[in-house]
Amino acid sequence: IAVHDQLPIMLTSSDDMRIKAWDWSRNWACTMIFEGHQHYVMSVCFNPKDAMTFASASLDTTIKVWNLSSPEPNYSLLGHEDSVNCVEYYPGGDKPYLVSGSDDHTVKVWDYQTRACIQTLTHHVHNVTAAFFHPDVPLLFTGGEDEIIGVVNTQTWRTEQSLNYGMQRAWTIAARPSS
């Protein structure tokens, strides 16, 4: 699920391989169905730098970038060798980045303007299920089925720490601004 920060829209993704836009100002009407994935859609997120675009991650090994005005994807990012579980946009104003986590045990950093993978992070030894950019400090947090929370410096893309607190698989990671 992704909630738009300016428009009355919520996106949902599901095992039916589709993404749906719901407009709560219109009594939760489904206003658009986005199709293009060939397997379950695991994650969606809005681009904080472009109110009309969002990205999705799917078990079909792709990340797709979409526009709210079209039911078909603008383009796909290809490079993972297995299912993609999560996708997240970099919130800072200086970099057009998107990250994805996959069952190929990697986190990929993409420049969504050039559509190139600029970095592949390999600090996980099992499926990567969560990725989250800290809103205030230059850190990326990743989680996986290996029970590891990776802490990555987004200026150098070096893993600063691998934390294992015995909490099993991490599905989501969040932080409050200024925390």
Side-chain angles (χ1 to χ4, degrees):
I1 295 174
V3 179
H4 202 284
D5 68 346
Q6 300 167 23
L7 302 172
I9 296 173
M10 177 181 75
L11 297 175
T12 59
S13 62
S14 69
D15 289 357
D16 67 3
M17 301 180 283
R18 301 186 299 176
I19 301 159
K20 294 181 182 179
W22 305 89
D23 186 334
W24 66 77
S25 71
R26 296 172 51 194
N27 200 29
W28 293 100
C30 180
T31 57
M32 182 80 72
I33 297 175
F34 304 90
E35 295 183 293
H37 281 295
Q38 303 304 308
H39 207 313
Y40 303 158
V41 184
M42 302 300 287
S43 176
V44 289
C45 65
F46 283 107
N47 184 342
K49 298 177 187 85
D50 180 349
M52 293 303 292
T53 63
F54 67 94
S56 60
S58 171
L59 297 188
D60 66 10
T61 74
T62 69
I63 299 101
K64 294 191 184 298
V65 177
W66 310 75
N67 190 291
L68 284 173
S69 64
S70 174
E72 297 176 356
N74 293 347
Y75 59 88
S76 298
L77 299 173
L78 306 172
H80 281 292
E81 297 175 10
D82 207 337
S83 302
V84 184
N85 297 309
C86 56
V87 64
E88 180 80 15
Y89 279 98
Y90 177 71
D94 57 336
K95 297 178 181 100
Y97 291 163
L98 181 69
V99 295
S100 56
S102 170
D103 286 354
D104 65 11
H105 309 176
T106 68
V107 176
K108 291 193 179 284
V109 183
W110 305 88
D111 180 319
Y112 60 81
Q113 291 176 339
T114 65
R115 303 178 190 178
C117 177
I118 62 163
Q119 192 76 35
T120 299
L121 309 175
T122 59
H123 56 275
H124 284 281
V125 296
H126 212 295
N127 302 345
V128 180
T129 53
F132 174 77
F133 285 105
H134 193 283
D136 298 322
V137 295
L139 294 175
L140 169 68
F141 296 90
T142 63
E145 293 182 6
D146 54 8
E147 302 184 15
I148 298 291
I149 299 295
V151 182
V152 178
N153 182 316
T154 60
Q155 295 173 331
T156 63
W157 299 112
R158 289 186 46 200
T159 302
E160 299 291 327
Q161 287 189 299
S162 289
L163 308 170
N164 186 341
Y165 294 117
M167 63 180 145
Q168 299 182 347
R169 174 181 11 215
W171 285 113
T172 60
I173 303 170
R176 284 181 6 165
S178 303
S179 62

